[in-house]
Amino acid sequence: MTAMSNLSSDVTELIFSYLPIPTLIRASTVCKLWHSIISSSTFSQLSTQSQKYPWFFLYGIHNTSSNFNQSFAFDPVSNLWFRLPSPTFPSQSSSFLGVDGFFLITAPFFTFSPILKRHLHPTSPLRFSRINPLVGVFDSGSSSPPSFIVVGGVRFIGNLVDIEDRLAVEIYNPNSDSWLLCPPLPADFRSGNSSQSLSSALFKRRFYVFGIYSCFISSFDLHTHLWSEVQTLRPPGVVFSFLISCMDRLVLAGICNGPLGSSFNLWKIEEATMEFSEIAIMPHDLLYGLFDGDEEDKFASLKCVGLGNLIYVFNEEYHKKYPACICEISSEDGKCRWRKVPQLPSPVNKFHKVVSFSSTVSLHSILQSEGGGDVVAPLQPMFD
């Protein structure tokens, strides 16, 4: 047998490209050669796992004591949860959410941080400070930092929440550190304009907004800054659903009532016509494994996030410690494969709010970023 040290750099790089990110982080500490291979930008381009298999992040927030806050990340390749450093927030912060690559605070000031680094970056103030908005992140240029789009949400006037104010869309320009005001959400969304009743997906330079219960859908063009006509996207029997941006398609995922009872279905959406076609149904045992009993409203705590070719479905209630399952949509044949996600590592605290999202994880940025130890440290012990 040929020793690993006798292999060429190209062959070693190819072998490494099949390993999950936590294993690669540990391998990068073995010797200088392995570190140089794994931390190189060319290897980051070769290894597509971060784009194809986004991680699932769950942040638990306790209202009365930040000591009970907890953060977890799930890597679908290694099939392992990792406990991350507990989130800390500036005083009086009141709105937290996550998007691909970032954890965000939107009120009273807009602040963002890379998901695995706790370095808060404040921006210039939003024109309309808001809680529970929809937020998307997109590239504004080849060498520019990412831009953010903030849609909907509600704001405080004094100590009251103004649910009638149709807040303008705001787009962040990282080069000038300024916010551009754009037309607000169409009036059809007025009865529910926050992330609690809306779902969003960024797909082909359009920011889609979808009513989880109303099934209204419209998209904002990032080039023209105009909204499309509001349409209704409601497959037969659907109770509530979420819009997901996958690698090459829009997917609608939600609870559906049919002749055989309730099911969790996936539909592929043709963005040009808003026509839908069913592509998968979650296995019955997986769906009901997310709940304890047969309460009539048990599905109300079901949430769904996704990115790349993965869709995560989970129960945000504490009593079962936030159980989840995952669906992988094959990029080759389009078939869907479901499996259960392992339980969160104990102990798991009881939270007043759960922030969940799916995000790509860049190995290159983890290893190359200054002070990367706060990322590597929590991931390595799971393999000791």
Side-chain angles (χ1 to χ4, degrees):
M1 294 180 63
T2 301
M4 188 79 174
S5 58
N6 293 332
L7 298 178
S8 67
S9 296
D10 290 343
V11 174
T12 302
E13 188 178 70
L14 180 61
I15 294 173
F16 284 158
S17 70
Y18 291 99
L19 299 178
I21 287 178
T23 304
L24 289 171
I25 292 174
R26 185 169 185 174
S28 70
T29 65
V30 170
C31 63
K32 291 182 179 180
L33 174 61
W34 286 16
H35 184 274
S36 65
I37 292 174
I38 294 171
S39 61
S40 68
S41 58
T42 56
F43 178 76
S44 181
Q45 296 171 1
L46 176 66
S47 178
T48 60
Q49 291 182 12
S50 64
Q51 299 296 326
K52 190 175 180 181
Y53 300 104
W55 289 24
F56 176 46
F57 289 84
L58 192 150
Y59 288 75
I61 300 173
H62 196 278
N63 288 346
T64 58
S65 175
S66 61
N67 293 329
F68 294 109
N69 292 347
Q70 288 181 301
S71 299
F72 304 93
F74 175 74
D75 171 26
V77 178
S78 64
N79 201 41
L80 290 172
W81 281 102
F82 302 100
R83 190 186 300 275
L84 303 178
S86 298
T88 55
F89 312 110
S91 59
Q92 299 186 5
S93 299
S94 59
S95 182
F96 320 102
L97 61 143
V99 295
D100 186 20
F102 297 94
F103 186 72
L104 310 169
I105 299 171
T106 63
F109 306 105
F110 192 94
T111 307
F112 65 92
S113 170
I115 49 175
L116 293 177
K117 302 288 291 181
R118 297 306 160 85
H119 299 308
L120 295 175
H121 303 276
T123 70
S124 58
L126 284 164
R127 176 63 178 84
F128 300 101
S129 179
R130 59 192 85 186
I131 62 172
N132 297 328
L134 300 171
V135 179
V137 57
F138 61 96
D139 292 329
S140 53
S142 57
S143 58
S144 300
S147 296
F148 298 102
I149 176 172
V150 181
V151 178
V154 295
R155 65 177 180 139
F156 285 108
I157 298 180
N159 290 323
L160 301 176
V161 175
D162 184 2
I163 62 174
E164 294 296 327
D165 193 347
R166 291 169 54 213
L167 299 176
V169 170
E170 300 192 49
I171 297 178
Y172 179 65
N173 184 331
N175 297 315
S176 61
D177 187 29
S178 61
W179 293 90
L180 174 67
L181 291 181
C182 300
L185 266 173
D188 305 65
F189 294 96
R190 178 174 295 179
S191 61
N193 57 7
S194 77
S195 59
Q196 295 178 332
S197 57
L198 298 177
S199 175
S200 64
L202 189 61
F203 186 70
K204 295 184 178 179
R205 306 295 291 182
R206 301 186 74 91
F207 189 77
Y208 288 83
V209 175
F210 176 76
I212 295 173
Y213 301 97
S214 70
C215 295
F216 292 149
I217 187 169
S218 181
S219 64
F220 181 86
D221 191 310
L222 293 175
H223 295 293
T224 64
H225 296 167
L226 296 176
W227 286 98
S228 69
E229 180 183 356
V230 177
Q231 297 176 263
T232 300
L233 180 60
R234 188 191 297 273
V238 72
V239 179
F240 63 87
S241 51
F242 305 87
L243 192 65
I244 308 292
S245 175
C246 292
M247 294 185 70
D248 61 348
R249 68 189 72 183
L250 283 172
V251 173
L252 193 67
I255 288 291
C256 186
N257 285 335
L260 300 179
S262 298
S263 61
F264 191 90
N265 298 27
L266 302 182
W267 297 270
K268 177 182 177 180
I269 308 301
E270 296 293 340
E271 69 272 13
T273 62
M274 287 295 116
E275 295 180 351
F276 52 85
S277 56
E278 186 179 279
I279 58 175
I281 300 177
M282 184 191 298
H284 184 274
D285 58 334
L286 276 183
L287 175 60
Y288 283 83
L290 300 176
F291 305 94
D292 276 334
D294 291 327
E295 296 84 359
E296 186 174 344
D297 62 344
K298 61 178 177 294
F299 295 122
S301 58
L302 207 62
K303 302 297 179 184
C304 182
V305 297
L307 195 66
N309 64 343
L310 299 181
I311 293 177
Y312 296 94
V313 185
F314 73 103
N315 184 347
E316 68 172 4
E317 290 293 332
Y318 169 74
H319 67 280
K320 291 201 69 175
K321 297 186 177 179
Y322 315 103
C325 62
I326 181 174
C327 178
E328 178 181 349
I329 304 175
S330 172
S331 57
E332 298 177 357
D333 56 17
K335 292 184 178 179
C336 297
R337 298 171 179 85
W338 298 86
R339 60 185 167 97
K340 185 179 180 180
V341 171
Q343 283 191 333
L344 284 168
S346 296
V348 178
N349 297 331
K350 187 173 183 178
F351 309 121
H352 294 95
K353 181 178 181 180
V354 174
V355 176
S356 59
F357 60 99
S358 184
S359 175
T360 55
V361 175
S362 169
L363 172 68
H364 182 69
S365 64
I366 292 174
L367 295 177
Q368 292 295 324
S369 60
E370 183 178 356
D374 62 338
V375 177
V376 176
L379 297 183
Q380 282 186 333
M382 304 299 294
F383 293 88
D384 290 342

